[in-house]
Amino acid sequence: MQFQWYPGHMTKAKRAMQEDLKLIDVIIELVDSRIPFSSKNPDIDQMANGKSRIILMNKYDLADPERTKQWMEYYQKNGYFVTKVNSKSGAGVRAVQNVIQEACKEKIERDRRRGILNRPVRAMIVGIPNVGKSTFINSFAKKACTKTGNKPGVTKGKQWIRLNKNVELLDTPGILWPKFEDQSVGLRLAFIGSIKDELFHIYELSILLLEYLNENYPGAVSDFYQTEKSDEPAEQLSRIAVRRGCMKSGGEYDLDKAAKYLVDDFRAGKLGNISLEIPTGEANV
Ligand code: G4P
């Protein structure tokens, strides 16, 4: 399946983010736990310029726990501080404060040696659209938030959320774009709903999703829809259509409608905890 998609103002936004990065001590990057490779933008590695890096495995409630564990180990081995969060429920969010302190230990020590005491660590949240940045910021800030407003010495117009005496957060998250040149990355982003649905054909997408599920999570589809087991995606889709009563006016089954049910149910986690990538650096969808 080919995607035709190009984000506008990418260079401009990247430049703006580079400016913001000068103001902060630690970069907190949110990734989607179902696709921790495809939802991570490699540009940030170049822009980070030696700053501490934290990866938050967001939406872990939707992902396969075993794979999430593997990914956390993988990123830890690659020099990141890593923790998992469910920004929607708030699970794991409070612990992020400790991870920030851990990631900024050297900076805090350096400050202390210079006689600078209690200077809060400044952090910025980055991530691809829809990964959960706003939800995370709200959840994180709710724990202890008072807006400090524009502070002297800080670029005009920037707002900082003072979480507590230890941490300040730039309140506008940095938006990154995924690596769209890679078609398999695009496909996985489409599976989780990070690409506009108009850009692909829902029937084709659902067939590819079924192929992946049959190979990696056999039984997940038939268990959820209570249909007879099958390994044949087109047949599975027809069975979903029957089960859900997806009919066209002429009495024919509406397979596009069944496909939409499948993809939506997958995205909402109804088919179970499912991950689409394993930490080999290789695409596996
Ligand atoms: P963004 O700022 O990065 O663009 O993402 P945003 O916070 O708007 O979140 C995108 C969607 O992801 C929202 O769903 C949000 O509720 C959901 N979300 C964020 N974090 C988590 C998580 O850890 N687990 C789960 N399951 N979902 C999460 P939505 O359907 O667009 O809105 P809503 O109906 O949930 O309000």
Side-chain angles (χ1 to χ4, degrees), residues 58-59 61-62 86-88 128-135:
N58 195 35
K59 307 195 186 183
D61 52 303
L62 302 173
N86 172 350
S87 300
K88 207 168 173 175
I128 64 166
N130 208 38
V131 75
K133 294 178 294 301
S134 321
T135 313

Side-chain angles (χ1 to χ4, degrees), residues 247-253:
M247 305 292 285
K248 284 186 183 160
S249 51
E252 225 179 296
Y253 284 115

Side-chain angles (χ1 to χ4, degrees), residues 30 32-34 57-62 85-91 93 125-138 173-175 267-269:
L30 265 82
D32 189 303
S33 299
R34 295 166 294 177
M57 305 275 298
N58 195 35
K59 307 195 186 183
Y60 79 83
D61 52 303
L62 302 173
V85 287
N86 172 350
S87 300
K88 207 168 173 175
S89 76
V93 170
I125 307 287
V126 300
I128 64 166
N130 208 38
V131 75
K133 294 178 294 301
S134 321
T135 313
F136 172 75
I137 291 173
N138 284 335
I175 298 173
R267 287 173 182 167

Side-chain angles (χ1 to χ4, degrees), residues 170-185:
L170 193 58
D171 83 347
T172 39
I175 298 173
L176 296 172
W177 285 269
K179 269 197 104 49
F180 270 101
E181 312 90 79
D182 181 341
Q183 292 285 310
S184 59
V185 166

